[in-house]
Amino acid sequence: MFDVFLYPVSAILWFWHKVFGAVSSPDSGVAWVLSIVFLVFTLRLLLVKPALGALRAGRRMQALAPRMRQLKEKYGKDRRRLAEEIRKLHAETGANPLGGCLPALIQLPVFLSLYWVLRDFTPGAQSNHVFDDAGVRSFLNADLFGAKLGNWLSQPAAELAAFGTDHVHMIAVGVPLMLIASLATFFSLRSGLTRQTETAPETAGITKLIMYLAPVGMLVSGAFFPVPIGVLLYFLATNVWTLGQQHFLTRIVDREEETGRRAAIE
């Protein structure tokens, strides 16, 4: 189903591996780590425009929240009239309730493809889309401070030993990756959801729950599920990018709104 995305994603990873492999050894952990990080950054850069559109759409819907509550109070017992008034409100303001969802739906296959490309570097695999057998073996043999990129924390000690690593190295590398990725997730969620709570206080409870559950879920999955170090690097890179992107795009939209308010006053 995702093959249409898997091949381009693996091709981007292949390209960056060729670039960094020319600087250092192609089989080195440095070349593969930088390739994964720049793969994430490349894809996220291509998806900045949809993310900005989603943020703008979300802001428009947040601005309508007080009027939406008024309509629900006034027409709450008449669902047909309420739906009609909401439709008129959206048409009047140019707001689209799906505007914040569609960009996310566009990005989802890309993110899943990136995840599966990294997961498909498995022992015995003859290829991984663009990568041949040598590329797969190169990834599996690469390590970051002694932790193999294709292995995971909860893997049996005998299997880790077969790949030339152990739980000490896996934990020493994997735990910091999970912690930093979880912190980046927490701060990015807190930044985005705090503003949402201000305009929709009735969602404060579930918003706070999501803000804490998402980072904890990342820690649990990394510690107890077969999540390779390479995938943890992906989580780290994408969550750090999200934190920075959110700050950058928020400033852009804030400036746009301020410009709009000044124009309205004038």
Side-chain angles (χ1 to χ4, degrees):
M1 177 181 178
F2 290 113
D3 280 359
V4 67
F5 297 102
L6 290 171
Y7 279 94
V9 167
S10 63
I12 296 172
L13 180 62
W14 179 88
F15 167 78
W16 284 119
H17 182 247
K18 286 294 183 183
V19 171
F20 294 114
V23 177
S24 63
S25 170
D27 296 331
S28 69
V30 173
W32 279 107
V33 168
L34 290 175
S35 300
I36 293 171
V37 170
F38 275 77
L39 166 65
V40 173
F41 288 175
T42 301
L43 293 175
R44 294 304 301 268
L45 187 61
L46 293 173
L47 295 170
V48 163
K49 188 173 182 180
L52 181 58
L55 181 58
R56 286 170 175 157
R59 288 288 185 89
R60 285 193 290 269
M61 293 304 298
Q62 289 173 13
L64 292 180
R67 296 177 65 181
M68 292 284 286
R69 285 195 293 270
Q70 291 174 359
L71 290 176
K72 289 178 181 179
E73 292 173 0
K74 187 174 181 179
Y75 303 109
K77 295 182 179 180
D78 188 344
R79 292 190 175 184
R80 182 176 296 179
R81 179 65 184 277
L82 176 61
E84 179 64 21
E85 293 297 327
I86 290 176
R87 186 192 64 77
K88 289 180 181 178
L89 178 61
H90 289 161
E92 174 190 336
T93 58
N96 182 359
L98 297 178
C101 300
L102 291 178
L105 293 177
I106 295 172
Q107 297 175 54
L108 184 60
V110 177
F111 295 151
L112 289 177
S113 299
L114 192 156
Y115 173 80
W116 282 111
V117 164
L118 295 176
R119 280 295 306 271
D120 285 345
F121 284 105
T122 55
Q126 298 299 311
S127 65
N128 183 4
H129 303 94
V130 171
F131 290 93
D132 57 13
D133 177 64
V136 173
R137 284 187 282 106
S138 175
F139 179 88
L140 294 176
N141 291 328
D143 70 86
L144 178 63
F145 301 115
K148 297 293 184 178
L149 300 184
N151 295 98
W152 53 92
L153 273 68
S154 59
Q155 204 166 2
E159 293 183 13
L160 293 177
F163 283 92
T165 187
D166 53 41
H167 281 123
V168 174
H169 288 91
M170 296 296 293
I171 292 172
V173 173
V175 170
L177 289 177
M178 291 188 297
L179 288 174
I180 298 172
S182 298
L183 286 173
T185 302
F186 173 79
F187 286 118
S188 61
L189 285 173
R190 188 178 69 171
S191 176
L193 297 177
T194 297
R195 186 182 180 95
Q196 179 180 328
T197 302
E198 292 173 355
T199 57
E202 66 273 9
T203 65
I206 190 169
T207 294
K208 191 172 183 179
L209 184 64
I210 292 172
M211 190 167 61
Y212 287 101
L213 281 182
V216 171
M218 182 169 297
L219 289 173
V220 171
S221 62
F224 299 104
F225 292 92
V227 181
I229 293 293
V231 176
L232 291 180
L233 283 166
Y234 151 68
F235 285 144
L236 173 62
T238 195
N239 284 310
V240 170
W241 177 281
T242 298
L243 182 60
Q245 175 182 281
Q246 188 175 59
H247 177 71
F248 177 72
L249 297 185
T250 297
R251 292 183 63 182
I252 291 177
V253 176
D254 285 343
R255 285 198 298 267
E256 291 176 349
E257 291 180 348
E258 182 61 26
T259 301
R261 282 193 291 268
R262 291 179 180 177
I265 294 173
E266 293 174 359

